[in-house]
Amino acid sequence: MTLPVAVLVSGRGSNLQAILDACASGALDARVVYVASNHAGVPALDRAASAGVPHGAFTVADFGSRAAAQAAMAEAVMRTDPRLVVHAGFDHILGPEYFVRLGGTPVINVHPALLPLFGGRGMYGVRVHESVLAAGATESGATVHRVHPDTIDLGEVVVQRRVPVLSGDTPEMLGARVLEQEHIAIVEAIRRFVLATTPLR
Ligand code: GRF
């Protein structure tokens, strides 16, 4: 069965694009059934539109509170009946209003470091790579992990891919190297769920 997947985004959407491309090429037996963003007008929503995928923006400004926006987003996501929800560059912590409505649907997130290192509150975007360099780490990488209510970067690791830290690296250079691996890791992680839901013949 082709796995129906919903994707949550906040900005650029390059991880979403990697998923859409893998589905379109047949490399991944999955289908993106919905894309939800917590910001309006972001490039990730344009990517969804270009791929013909239903999508919506659920902003705090429109819904009055973060909890209300997340509840509406979860309801929209669940109306498309996904078997997996992927957070691909989603930048808000999700509360119980969201997870209650997901009703146990598994959720995964991609993080640009080797968790459990360099995760948690405030560790996002370029700050992660700045911290890796400041700590003198010799490697970093991408982690796809399960997401549970009110936790940040703490769920079980599904896929991890490593990259070296090179001398002279800036946070941007390291971030670009990690991002390439995020794109591979997120597709590989979804593939694990495809395999887990495919009956043996
Ligand atoms: C990625 O580095 C992701 O790990 C982080 O934010 C970035 C999002 O990139 N949380 P994109 O929107 O998928 O291009």
Side-chain angles (χ1 to χ4, degrees), residues 4-168:
V5 174
V7 183
L8 266 58
V9 295
S10 294
R12 177 180 53 187
S14 70
N15 280 288
L16 167 65
Q17 193 65 56
I19 297 166
L20 290 168
D21 291 349
C23 294
S25 74
L28 185 62
D29 189 11
R31 187 165 62 92
V32 180
V33 292
Y34 194 68
V35 172
S37 173
N38 56 341
H39 302 297
V42 292
L45 290 174
D46 297 336
R47 295 179 193 266
S50 298
V53 175
H55 53 280
F58 301 85
T59 66
V60 176
D62 283 348
F63 288 88
S65 71
R66 198 180 270 212
Q70 292 186 359
M73 183 172 67
E75 284 165 13
V77 163
M78 292 312 288
R79 278 197 290 274
T80 64
D81 207 17
R83 292 291 180 272
L84 175 68
V85 178
V86 180
H87 295 183
F90 188 77
D91 66 4
H92 277 174
I93 299 165
L94 289 150
E97 299 79 9
Y98 173 79
F99 285 95
V100 162
R101 286 166 180 78
L102 254 51
T105 307
V107 181
I108 58 175
N109 176 55
V110 59
H111 182 79
L114 294 175
L115 294 176
L117 295 171
F118 306 106
R121 195 173 286 277
M123 276 291 185
Y124 58 87
V126 77
R127 291 191 202 186
V128 176
H129 310 301
E130 287 168 354
S131 302
V132 168
L133 294 176
T138 56
E139 62 175 5
S140 189
T143 303
V144 180
H145 63 94
R146 294 289 295 263
V147 180
H148 303 295
D150 287 318
T151 63
I152 311 171
D153 300 335
L154 281 181
E156 307 88 316
V157 170
V158 181
V159 172
Q160 211 157 41
R161 293 183 65 91
R162 313 177 99 80
V163 301
V165 175
L166 302 178
S167 73

